[in-house]
Amino acid sequence: KRKEFEKLQKGKKDSISIEDVIKLIELQKRDLVEKALELPEPIVYGQEFFRHNLLEVVFKNELNERPPDNYPLGIGDEVTVSMWGSIDYNKKFTIDTLGNINPDLVGRISLKGLAMSNAKEVIKNKFAKVYEFDPSKIDISITYMHKISVNFVGELLHPGTYRFPANTSVFNALVAINGPNQIGSLRQIYIRRNGNTVKTLDIYEYLTNPNSREDFFLQNNDYVVVPPMGGVVNISGQIRRTHNYELRGGEGLQKVIDFAGG
């Protein structure tokens, strides 16, 4: 049904009818219902984040959305540099195995690991200096992002190795594979890289703090490790959100009341 819908959209570049919107919404509703019936009922706060969300990670050679400013550039990413005005310039450069691009005249620019926002400034400054050009008339964009293989192990509904576009955050990746199982931790999810733990993720921090810096981008061959959950307590009565909550070491009653909305 989804493929039939996509065929109907071919040639409709600039608009979409109300009928088509309704069809798409119905398809998404169906997918949500199927997922809800397939997966076990959430029993601990945070599990519904994975049970009640859909994310289809699409593998395309072209991007439909811009990567966020904190996306770290990697080998294989394709960068497009455009200049307009007295100079008409538009070229694509692929980050090589050494982490560089090598524009003519400008020379080597090291980009691997740089956040997208920082990389834009570096490239603009280099081109502006060499071409004696106004930086405001230089545009930098990502026109292709490399793919990564990530290993998901531990207490997950669907452990295994998956391939994602490199701008997929660990949270989006976990949603795509339906997240931890009934006993998987939501508070201490480890990202292992080259034998070291580079990040410990807390789903509760992500859900309860809108300014959270918990979002994290994965790299090729990372391991996402979900251990069994820690202590779980139930809170009920005159609070906003009756539920079971997973606690980390050192957290007590006040923290449970905070999680429950007060």
Side-chain angles (χ1 to χ4, degrees), residues 25-95:
I25 291 173
E26 289 303 317
L27 285 170
Q28 291 175 327
K29 282 183 180 178
R30 185 205 64 191
D31 290 346
L32 277 170
V33 169
E34 288 180 355
K35 182 173 183 177
L37 292 174
E38 175 192 351
L39 300 179
E41 188 69 20
I43 56 173
V44 176
Y45 177 71
Q47 289 177 339
E48 61 270 21
F49 177 71
F50 303 101
R51 308 287 200 273
H52 299 160
N53 282 285
L54 289 172
L55 179 68
E56 294 184 9
V57 179
V58 181
F59 305 101
K60 295 184 178 179
N61 290 331
E62 295 181 353
L63 295 179
N64 291 321
E65 59 181 73
R66 298 170 60 184
D69 286 342
N70 62 337
Y71 166 70
L73 294 177
I75 295 169
D77 284 347
E78 191 174 83
V79 180
T80 297
V81 181
S82 302
M83 297 189 289
W84 63 93
S86 59
I87 298 176
D88 186 16
Y89 183 100
N90 187 276
K91 286 189 177 181
K92 295 179 180 179
F93 304 95
T94 300
I95 299 176

Side-chain angles (χ1 to χ4, degrees), residues 4-243:
E4 288 173 3
F5 176 82
E6 290 172 353
K7 286 180 182 178
L8 288 173
Q9 298 311 304
K10 286 186 176 180
K12 298 182 181 179
K13 299 293 184 182
D14 300 321
S15 63
I16 184 169
S17 69
I18 294 297
E19 290 78 12
D20 288 338
V21 172
I22 292 172
K23 286 180 183 177
L24 185 56
I25 291 173
E26 289 303 317
L27 285 170
Q28 291 175 327
K29 282 183 180 178
R30 185 205 64 191
D31 290 346
L32 277 170
V33 169
E34 288 180 355
K35 182 173 183 177
L37 292 174
E38 175 192 351
L39 300 179
E41 188 69 20
I43 56 173
V44 176
Y45 177 71
Q47 289 177 339
E48 61 270 21
F49 177 71
F50 303 101
R51 308 287 200 273
H52 299 160
N53 282 285
L54 289 172
L55 179 68
E56 294 184 9
V57 179
V58 181
F59 305 101
K60 295 184 178 179
N61 290 331
E62 295 181 353
L63 295 179
N64 291 321
E65 59 181 73
R66 298 170 60 184
D69 286 342
N70 62 337
Y71 166 70
L73 294 177
I75 295 169
D77 284 347
E78 191 174 83
V79 180
T80 297
V81 181
S82 302
M83 297 189 289
W84 63 93
S86 59
I87 298 176
D88 186 16
Y89 183 100
N90 187 276
K91 286 189 177 181
K92 295 179 180 179
F93 304 95
T94 300
I95 299 176
D96 62 25
T97 54
L98 298 176
N100 309 313
I101 60 173
N102 295 277
D104 293 337
L105 300 180
V106 177
R108 184 176 63 189
I109 304 176
S110 182
L111 296 177
K112 181 183 176 184
L114 281 184
M116 184 65 190
S117 57
N118 295 336
K120 284 182 177 180
E121 290 304 312
V122 169
I123 297 170
K124 279 186 180 183
N125 291 336
K126 290 265 191 179
F127 271 79
K129 183 177 180 180
V130 170
Y131 285 89
E132 297 181 350
F133 204 69
D134 182 358
S136 66
K137 294 184 179 180
I138 302 175
D139 182 67
I140 314 298
S141 61
I142 293 287
T143 47
Y144 174 83
M145 277 183 285
H146 65 287
K147 306 299 187 297
I148 57 174
S149 294
V150 181
N151 309 289
F152 292 82
V153 298
E155 300 298 339
L156 291 146
L157 288 165
H158 299 107
T161 299
Y162 296 86
R163 280 182 64 79
F164 297 101
N167 68 329
T168 306
S169 73
V170 64
F171 287 109
N172 286 342
L174 283 167
V175 170
I177 67 167
N178 298 329
N181 61 23
Q182 295 296 77
I183 65 168
S185 177
L186 298 157
R187 305 294 313 282
Q188 298 191 84
I189 298 174
Y190 303 105
I191 312 301
R192 302 275 294 172
R193 184 174 297 161
N194 298 323
N196 300 311
T197 298
V198 295
K199 182 74 172 177
T200 301
L201 298 168
D202 182 352
I203 301 296
Y204 285 14
E205 180 67 18
Y206 183 81
L207 295 177
T208 59
N209 182 3
N211 297 317
S212 173
R213 299 274 182 184
E214 285 291 291
D215 215 352
F216 186 77
F217 292 101
L218 296 164
Q219 293 186 13
N220 197 49
N221 290 326
D222 277 355
Y223 278 79
V224 179
V225 183
V226 180
M229 67 175 59
V232 176
V233 300
N234 176 273
I235 184 169
S236 60
Q238 301 306 308
I239 47 89
R240 291 189 173 92
R241 189 166 47 234
T242 298
H243 219 313

